[in-house]
Amino acid sequence: MSASCELQELLHRLGHAQVSGGRPKYVKKCAKYNRMDRTLVQVLAQIEERAPNLAQQHAEYECVQSEAAQLASQLTDALAGRDSSASTATDVSQRLTKMSRENGVASETAERSQMADEELEADEGTAPAGSIDKVITPHTLP
């Protein structure tokens, strides 16, 4: 018998239930307390039944949470690596552009130099002498 029913019986014995209409009220209350007691026992049984499942689910949740933290850390590292690679690629691209420009200028300078050399070679007055007699002329002597 539940504790509340025992209390009701004690009150009944002491005469509180002797008031007019007390007996039917007592029976209703006792039935109500018995229903509440059975309901609480059922709820407790369900909790005890589910407790191992809840413990397992909690352990699985902690495992998934740990894995999510590891994946977040890996993602952070990957994003940092990507940013570093993008920065390096930008630097390399800028250096390549600068070197291409410098090569273009050097190539133009080389072409001009070659054209100047070809013009000098074509000019008979600036052509190298074949012998020393061609270098010494009556005009070069005093």
Side-chain angles (χ1 to χ4, degrees):
M1 184 177 272
S2 72
S4 58
C5 283
E6 289 176 11
L7 179 63
Q8 286 297 325
E9 277 186 20
L10 181 61
L11 288 175
H12 179 63
R13 281 188 223 142
L14 293 174
H16 285 272
Q18 295 300 323
V19 185
S20 102
R23 180 81 177 145
K25 287 182 182 178
Y26 168 74
V27 171
K28 282 183 179 179
K29 283 186 178 183
C30 193
K32 180 180 175 182
Y33 288 124
N34 281 338
R35 279 192 308 273
M36 287 189 335
D37 189 45
R38 283 191 306 269
T39 302
L40 289 174
V41 167
Q42 288 173 350
V43 168
L44 183 61
Q46 288 179 0
I47 290 171
E48 288 174 347
E49 179 183 315
R50 293 180 184 177
N53 292 339
L54 293 175
Q56 180 184 359
Q57 287 174 350
H58 183 70
E60 289 173 358
Y61 170 77
E62 287 180 351
C63 182
V64 167
Q65 191 174 21
S66 173
E67 186 176 343
Q70 289 175 346
L71 290 173
S73 175
Q74 289 175 358
L75 177 60
T76 300
D77 293 345
L79 290 174
R82 180 204 63 188
D83 293 344
S84 176
S85 294
S87 177
T88 301
T90 300
D91 291 346
V92 167
S93 176
Q94 290 172 348
R95 283 190 282 162
L96 177 62
T97 301
K98 181 180 176 186
M99 292 170 89
S100 293
R101 240 184 282 123
E102 290 172 355
N103 283 346
V105 169
S107 187
E108 286 177 18
T109 304
E111 284 178 24
R112 286 187 195 140
S113 177
Q114 185 177 6
M115 287 173 47
D117 288 348
E118 289 173 0
E119 286 176 5
L120 286 174
E121 286 176 6
D123 186 5
E124 290 181 18
T126 58
S131 70
I132 195 71
D133 293 334
K134 289 184 179 177
V135 175
I136 300 175
T137 63
H139 299 319
T140 55
L141 294 175

